[in-house]
Amino acid sequence: MEERSLGDCIDEYLLYLANVKGRSANTVKAYTEDFKHFDGHLERDTGISSVTLGQLREVVGDLSREGYTVTSIDRFISAVRGLFAYCRKNQYIQVNVALELKMLKKPKVLPRFMTQAEVDTLCSQPDRKPLLWPARDKAIFEMLYSSGCRVSELASLKFSDFTEGYGSAVVEGKGSKDRYVYFEQDALAALHAYLSERKQRFPASMEDGGSFVAEIFLNQKGRALSASGIEMIVREYSGLRGTNKPMTPHSFRHTFATAMLLNGADVREVQSMLGHASINATQRYTHVTAERLRAVYDQAFPHSGKKD
């Protein structure tokens, strides 16, 4: 068999991920960015079978010296291992040297969540400081908190996804798995207020026809708001011009999970609500709730050693 080049193998593997494995556009884009780390180390026309374990480790070492996080480096390693496993399966290589490329040991980092007071303050920021589109932004915050949605799930939410009026919706999570998410009264009130304004500002976007926009959330130009747009909105209101306590859309998701567990939800139920494939991803929130309950105990119990 003719020797395949590293560049050709990468291109073919990315097409395989998109068209055969059905990976999302964001996932394929992330893999594409990861493979760019080969630049400066290995040329695209390098024969794939001539790549050595030492060369792969050299790339990893350079990423570490350049200050990349453990998570970013591990993502690169995962991408490389996937590429070489694909090449071995298709007999482009006889030996998979990437099998010896070990993932780095990650420090345990507990999810960043907000207290109820912080959630209330952030959700009220669009009313107090109308920085962008207050009705839309408040609806985004309330719906993120109420549902535990990922930012990509909220950005792609369409009118046709809702059930029970607007009280629940079906979202497509990771792995193209559908699940129900729910919206409580504060979220519903904020959503209806936003949709009323949306209809006034962009009436054509609410009507069937060429100008109709299926996605719920629009940007200032009347087009579908992207996930990065939602991230920017959260940064704006939680940054210096807002609460000055930087948050991300994922902070709402962490807070949702923590609140559910603190209020008695079973970890398996929370796993289903979050769309986690593994219970391990959900169980990390039990550590957060355990620490928080311990702090409450130390503060409240009379023999906890606290002095008046």
Side-chain angles (χ1 to χ4, degrees):
M1 180 180 291
E2 184 181 350
E3 171 78 352
R4 296 293 186 103
S5 70
L6 174 64
D8 286 344
C9 288
I10 289 174
D11 293 341
E12 184 177 318
Y13 180 55
L14 292 172
L15 288 172
Y16 167 76
L17 291 176
N19 300 326
V20 178
K21 299 296 288 183
R23 297 292 187 258
S24 69
N26 286 338
T27 298
V28 175
K29 181 180 178 181
Y31 272 79
T32 303
E33 292 300 315
D34 288 332
F35 289 132
K36 288 181 180 179
H37 293 313
F38 279 129
D39 294 347
H41 297 85
L42 293 166
E43 299 293 335
R44 279 183 57 88
D45 59 2
T46 300
I48 188 67
S49 64
S50 68
V51 177
T52 67
L53 176 60
Q55 289 173 316
L56 297 179
R57 284 175 171 167
E58 183 180 339
V59 180
V60 171
D62 281 351
L63 292 178
S64 180
R65 285 186 288 273
E66 290 169 14
Y68 283 86
T69 65
V70 171
T71 299
S72 296
I73 296 173
D74 273 351
R75 196 180 71 180
F76 168 73
I77 293 172
S78 178
V80 170
R81 289 172 65 170
L83 170 67
F84 276 75
Y86 172 82
C87 290
R88 180 68 187 93
K89 180 180 179 181
N90 286 280
Q91 299 184 342
Y92 300 157
I93 55 177
Q94 296 304 309
V95 179
N96 184 355
V97 296
L99 288 175
E100 297 299 318
L101 198 60
K102 304 299 182 184
M103 304 287 263
L104 304 184
K105 187 175 181 180
K106 294 181 182 179
K108 286 190 176 180
V109 179
L110 293 177
R112 171 74 172 97
F113 68 96
M114 292 178 272
T115 64
Q116 187 60 56
E118 287 174 329
V119 173
D120 292 341
T121 298
L122 185 51
C123 286
S124 67
Q125 281 301 295
D127 294 328
R128 298 179 181 179
K129 299 178 180 179
L131 302 177
L132 301 168
W133 183 351
R136 177 202 62 187
D137 304 337
K138 184 178 180 65
I140 287 172
F141 295 167
E142 293 285 2
M143 293 178 73
L144 282 171
Y145 177 46
S146 174
S147 65
C149 277
R150 298 179 177 92
V151 62
S152 58
E153 294 167 350
L154 192 72
S156 60
L157 193 63
K158 300 177 176 61
F159 285 98
S160 58
D161 294 330
F162 284 94
T163 60
E164 301 176 10
Y166 289 103
S168 63
V170 177
V171 298
E172 183 179 308
K174 289 185 176 179
S176 299
K177 293 182 179 179
D178 291 345
R179 75 179 190 281
Y180 279 98
V181 295
Y182 304 94
F183 306 105
E184 47 72 56
Q185 291 304 312
D186 288 343
L188 286 175
L191 176 61
H192 285 299
Y194 157 66
L195 291 178
S196 177
E197 283 198 16
R198 169 180 160 153
K199 187 174 184 178
Q200 293 177 1
R201 293 179 64 168
F202 303 104
S205 73
M206 301 289 285
E207 301 171 357
D208 291 334
S211 299
F212 175 74
V213 180
E215 288 79 8
I216 291 292
F217 291 107
L218 304 183
N219 60 25
Q220 301 280 18
K221 296 181 179 180
R223 294 193 285 267
L225 183 65
S226 65
S228 59
I230 294 177
E231 290 170 352
M232 183 276 293
I233 291 167
V234 176
R235 285 198 306 270
E236 191 75 8
Y237 283 98
S238 65
L240 290 175
R241 294 209 296 162
T243 63
N244 199 23
K245 290 185 177 180
M247 297 291 171
T248 67
H250 227 62
S251 300
F252 285 98
R253 183 169 162 86
H254 293 326
T255 305
F256 166 84
T258 304
M260 293 298 295
L261 289 169
L262 281 173
N263 286 284
D266 180 80
V267 67
R268 289 285 183 184
E269 295 169 340
V270 176
Q271 177 191 3
S272 178
M273 292 176 188
L274 293 174
H276 283 158
S278 168
I279 191 66
N280 294 331
T282 314
Q283 283 179 328
R284 62 181 178 154
Y285 292 105
T286 63
H287 299 299
V288 176
T289 56
E291 286 193 359
R292 188 170 178 182
L293 289 173
R294 178 71 201 197
V296 171
Y297 171 83
D298 287 343
Q299 184 66 39
F301 190 68
H303 295 166
S304 63
K306 299 294 181 182
K307 301 296 184 181
D308 292 333

